[in-house]
Amino acid sequence: VGINPSTGVFSNSGTNTTPLAGDWSVTVMVTDSQNRTATRTYDWTVGQSNLQIATSAMPLAYEGENYSLTFQATGGTAPYTWSIDSTTHPCCFVGITPSTGVFSNISSNSTPQRGIWDFVIKVTDANGITSSRSYQWEVAPVDF
């Protein structure tokens, strides 16, 4: 969180961070063209966000078959933006649609690879508040 020295806008824009919940004092200083300064302290309250990912688990998938799961979030302010924060699954076989939270392999024209894969799914609300959740996703062989 900071202040733009040219515009005076106080924000976290462009910092890739979110403010911590709590009661804070922020002191702002301005300097004019004559090098005169003025300061003022403001009380700033940052509320606790209740944004969380509501999807509890990733259901079993099968090697060689299409897979789709829509992640759900609660709290925060819609619209939400979804992303995969980290994964052990090989690149390009699955992804998440940022605007819908649909986790799928369908757009890649490839099917998931067998194994147990770790994923961290992240959701960001309209105010830039984020929440992440870790999952294990099992892709099993198809037994005929």
Side-chain angles (χ1 to χ4, degrees), residues 12-36:
N12 66 334
S13 179
T15 65
N16 204 21
T17 61
T18 56
L20 296 174
D23 293 319
W24 307 97
S25 292
V26 178
T27 301
V28 178
M29 181 175 71
V30 63
T31 305
D32 70 10
S33 62
Q34 302 297 313
N35 218 22
R36 294 176 292 211

Side-chain angles (χ1 to χ4, degrees), residues 7-65:
T7 64
V9 174
F10 179 74
S11 75
N12 66 334
S13 179
T15 65
N16 204 21
T17 61
T18 56
L20 296 174
D23 293 319
W24 307 97
S25 292
V26 178
T27 301
V28 178
M29 181 175 71
V30 63
T31 305
D32 70 10
S33 62
Q34 302 297 313
N35 218 22
R36 294 176 292 211
T37 62
T39 60
R40 184 168 180 182
T41 300
Y42 297 89
D43 292 328
W44 182 42
T45 299
V46 178
Q48 181 70 32
S49 173
N50 58 353
L51 176 65
Q52 61 183 342
I53 298 174
T55 306
S56 61
M58 296 177 72
L60 180 69
Y62 293 96
E63 184 178 36
E65 294 183 4

Side-chain angles (χ1 to χ4, degrees), residues 69-108:
L69 167 67
T70 301
F71 280 89
Q72 302 292 323
T74 60
T77 303
Y80 304 122
T81 303
W82 296 89
S83 60
I84 297 174
D85 212 25
S86 66
T87 181
T88 58
H89 192 273
C91 172
C92 309
F93 294 110
V94 292
I96 195 164
T97 304
S99 61
T100 63
V102 174
F103 177 88
S104 173
N105 68 298
I106 295 169
S107 66
S108 71

Side-chain angles (χ1 to χ4, degrees), residues 49 51 75-81 123-130:
S49 173
L51 176 65
T77 303
Y80 304 122
T81 303
V123 64
T124 304
D125 78 358
N127 296 318
I129 304 297
T130 63

